[in-house]
């Protein structure tokens, strides 16, 4: 299969995994325990962190050397930082309490936040289609999207949104990753020499998101230790998978 199409296919499968995590919440009529949300996000962060280290950072250095890696890595982190700083959004869990959140117009603030959060993940899958890390990355992103999709749906339900809207926003999370995969695969398809730069770029972007968005979200409600242990569990599971897949 053409590598470009392969990247889009993998990012589509990985992105749609968010809907799997949100499906159980179609049957919820009440709010969800916040410890459960933080545990899910902690596990997602651990999986993302291991995937970044083993399947993006290490291969990038191996393929292109430290200088190429450094250029792409810092560029990825800085670009996501600028998107986060200058886009009019709210973090998808922070500060969402009160009756005003029932307004449907607020949904677009969530969509923008989710776009910032998930675009690098889709790029990582699309870029990896041109390397031997494709299945590792796609599986890792898909695996962490399941608890992340569940956490997003649960958080929206707790904020007062309907079940349908909560599921729809979780679905949009995955949809955004398809666009990320299209972008990442498209750039690398222009020139294979860009692969180490783009792997480093995706790694830097994902690690920035983990530190700036995901981990702080899990430390807001007094569940730091629980979420940290689940981060460790997620990291271990992804490390074991990386070994198993070679």
């Amino acid at each position: 299969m053409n590598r470009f199409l392969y990247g889009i296919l993998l990012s589509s499968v990985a992105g749609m995994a968010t809907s799997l995590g949100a499906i159980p919440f179609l049957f919820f009529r009440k709010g969800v325990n916040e410890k459960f949300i933080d545990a899910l996000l902690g596990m997602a962060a651990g999986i993302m962190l291991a995937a970044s280290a083993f399947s993006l950072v290490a291969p990038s250095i191996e393929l292109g050397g430290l200088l190429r890696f450094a250029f792409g890595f810092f560029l990825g982190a800085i670009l996501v930082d600028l998107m986060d700083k200058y886009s009019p959004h709210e973090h998808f869990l922070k500060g969402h309490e009160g009756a005003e959140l029932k307004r449907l117009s607020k949904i677009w603030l969530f969509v923008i936040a989710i776009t910032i959060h998930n675009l690098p993940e889709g790029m990582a899958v699309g870029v990896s289609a041109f390397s031997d890390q494709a299945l590792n990355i796609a599986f890792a992103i898909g695996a962490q999207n399941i608890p992340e999709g569940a956490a997003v749906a649960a958080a929206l339900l707790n904020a007062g949104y309907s079940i349908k809207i909560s599921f729809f926003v979780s679905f949009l999370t995955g949809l955004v990753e398809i666009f990320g995969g299209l972008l990442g695969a498209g750039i690398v398809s222009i020139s294979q020499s860009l692969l180490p730069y783009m792997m480093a770029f995706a790694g830097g972007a994902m690690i920035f998101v983990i530190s700036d968005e995901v981990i702080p979200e899990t430390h807001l409600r007094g569940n730091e230790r629980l979420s940290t242990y689940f981060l460790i569990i997620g990291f271990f599971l992804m490390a074991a998978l990386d070994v198993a897949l070679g």
Side-chain angles (χ1 to χ4, degrees):
M1 180 184 291
N2 180 280
R3 291 282 183 172
F4 175 75
L5 296 177
Y6 187 46
I8 296 175
L9 175 63
L10 288 179
S11 61
S12 299
V13 173
M16 289 301 100
T18 56
S19 299
L20 294 179
I23 285 175
F25 296 93
L26 290 174
F27 308 99
F28 276 64
R29 292 290 184 267
K30 297 180 180 180
V32 183
N33 188 286
E34 289 182 341
K35 287 186 177 181
F36 180 65
I37 298 175
D38 289 338
L40 289 173
L41 285 176
M43 179 176 286
I47 295 172
M48 287 175 66
L49 189 60
S52 299
F54 301 138
S55 299
L56 289 173
V57 170
S60 172
I61 295 174
E62 184 178 347
L63 287 171
L66 190 60
L67 289 179
R68 289 182 176 86
F69 162 73
F71 179 82
F73 188 74
F74 286 107
L75 182 62
I78 291 170
L79 182 60
V80 173
D81 183 29
L82 292 175
M83 289 172 62
D84 184 77
K85 188 177 297 183
Y86 294 108
S87 297
H89 76 285
E90 297 179 28
H91 295 162
F92 63 82
L93 293 178
K94 291 179 182 175
H96 285 281
E97 296 180 358
E100 73 278 2
L101 294 176
K102 295 182 183 293
R103 293 179 299 176
L104 184 59
S105 60
K106 282 273 187 176
I107 199 69
W108 297 111
L109 295 177
F110 285 95
V111 172
I112 295 173
I114 291 170
T115 300
I116 294 172
H117 181 98
N118 288 282
L119 192 64
E121 296 177 11
M123 287 184 64
V125 178
V127 168
S128 69
F130 293 81
S131 73
D132 58 3
Q133 298 293 324
L135 290 179
N136 292 31
I137 285 289
F139 191 92
I141 298 300
Q144 70 87 30
N145 276 342
I146 295 175
E148 187 177 84
V152 170
L156 289 170
L157 284 171
N158 283 356
Y161 286 99
S162 70
I163 295 173
K164 290 182 179 179
I165 291 178
S166 299
F167 181 82
F168 179 64
V169 174
S170 295
F171 170 77
L172 285 179
T173 302
L175 194 63
V176 166
E177 293 193 10
I178 299 174
F179 289 107
L182 178 64
L183 179 61
I187 292 174
V188 178
S189 66
I190 295 174
S191 174
Q192 290 288 315
S193 64
L194 295 175
L195 181 58
Y197 291 104
M198 290 304 300
M199 295 185 81
F201 180 94
M206 285 177 61
I207 290 175
F208 184 92
V209 166
I210 294 166
S211 179
D212 186 63
E213 295 266 357
V214 184
I215 293 177
E217 298 288 0
T218 67
H219 288 199
L220 290 175
R221 291 162 290 277
N223 300 319
E224 297 92 338
R225 191 170 295 266
L226 175 68
S227 62
T228 298
Y229 273 111
F230 270 86
L231 184 149
I232 292 171
I233 291 170
F235 190 97
F236 170 77
L237 291 175
M238 185 56 218
L241 176 67
D242 188 73
V243 173
L245 294 179

